[in-house]
Amino acid sequence: MPDRPHQRKDLTDPAKKAPDPGARVFFALWPDASVRCSLDELAGQVHKACGGRRMRAESAHLTLVFVGQVVLARVESLKSVASGVRVPAFDLRLDRVGCWKRNRIAWLGTRETPLPLAELVQGLEQGLGREGFKFDQRPYFPHLTLARSARCEAPLPTDADIRWRVEEFVLVRSSLLPGGAAYGIIGRWPLR
Ligand code: 2AM
C-alpha cells in the first residue's frame, strides 16, 4: 500500500476539523414516572375527544425557554446559565385543559402559575440574555402539549387535576426525526 502522507496531514490539521453540527435545545420541566403516568392517561382522554397526534408519554415535558439551534461549543455556556439560577422547589397544579385553534394544539396548563416557576423562567431568560443567546421572546404561557393537529371544537376534560412536586429542571436536546422529535436530556439542575 503506497504511503499517502498528504491524507494523514489533513486529519491532524486543526483548521480542517469537522464543522460543529449544532443542536436544537430548550430548558424544560421533565415529569417523574408517576406524573408522567397521569399525563399519559389525560393525553389518552384528550386524544379520544380531539383526535390528532397524541403526546408520547416518554416525551412529556413543560418547556421553560425554547433556545433553538446553538453550536455545540455553546452548550457549556447554557449549562453555566442554568447553574446560576437559584429557585426553590415548588408544587405545580395542572388543572386546565385547552386547545389553540391557530395551531391546533391541545394543552394542559395551570390556573395559577406558581411564583417560583415564573422566577425560574425569568432567571433563565436573564442569564441567556447576558450570555448573548437569542431565544423565543413570546410571553410565557406554561403548558404541556397533549395532542397536535387536534380538533379544538370537541369537548375537553374539565376535571383535570395533576399535582407535580417540581424539584429540578433540565436542558433538552431535540432531534427532528421523520416520526417526530426525539428528546435527550443533556443536563439537570436541582431546585432548592
Ligand atoms: P409546543 O409543545 O407548544 O410546540 C420543543 O419543541 C418544545 O419547545 C415544545 O414544548 C414546544 O412547545 C416548545 N417551543 C416553544 N417555542 C418553540 C419554537 N419556536 N419552535 C419549536 N418549539 C418551541
Side-chain angles (χ1 to χ4, degrees):
M1 190 79 169
D3 202 2
R4 292 193 293 192
H6 60 286
Q7 273 199 350
R8 283 208 301 275
K9 183 165 177 272
D10 280 354
L11 288 172
T12 54
D13 184 346
K16 298 240 168 112
K17 270 199 306 197
D20 187 324
R24 200 168 180 263
V25 294
F26 59 96
F27 287 103
L29 303 182
W30 207 263
D32 59 26
S34 146
V35 172
R36 185 162 51 243
C37 188
S38 307
L39 291 168
D40 190 42
E41 201 181 312
L42 181 65
Q45 287 174 34
V46 168
H47 181 249
K48 213 167 159 184
C50 305
R53 275 179 291 123
R54 175 183 171 167
M55 167 204 93
R56 281 172 292 143
E58 69 274 17
S59 311
H61 65 272
L62 186 145
T63 297
L64 298 168
V65 184
F66 183 79
V67 184
Q69 194 70 20
V70 296
V71 290
L72 290 181
R74 293 283 275 145
V75 169
E76 282 314 307
S77 312
L78 288 174
K79 291 183 174 177
S80 83
V81 166
S83 306
V85 178
R86 294 273 181 277
V87 170
F90 58 91
D91 293 308
L92 176 61
R93 192 168 175 181
L94 296 166
D95 54 2
R96 188 175 165 208
V97 178
C99 192
W100 289 315
K101 289 204 177 83
R102 60 184 156 81
N103 53 10
R104 297 173 62 204
I105 283 184
W107 50 266
L108 172 64
T110 180
R111 291 176 203 277
E112 202 170 348
T113 301
L115 187 59
L117 172 56
E119 287 173 345
L120 176 55
V121 171
Q122 198 183 39
L124 287 170
E125 289 186 347
Q126 284 172 351
L128 290 167
R130 275 195 300 271
E131 288 288 327
F133 285 98
K134 304 245 181 304
F135 53 91
D136 210 330
Q137 297 267 11
R138 280 180 290 188
Y140 185 59
F141 183 86
H143 70 280
L144 292 103
T145 294
L146 297 176
R148 297 184 189 274
S149 308
R151 260 186 301 107
C152 289
E153 303 72 30
L156 295 165
T158 53
D159 58 350
D161 192 2
I162 297 175
R163 313 283 177 109
W164 183 356
R165 177 73 187 162
V166 180
E167 292 183 314
E168 66 169 12
F169 70 98
V170 297
L171 178 62
V172 185
R173 180 176 184 165
S174 159
S175 309
L176 297 177
L177 304 175
Y183 300 128
I185 294 177
I186 55 177
R188 294 178 181 272
W189 293 267
L191 298 176
R192 33 182 171 225

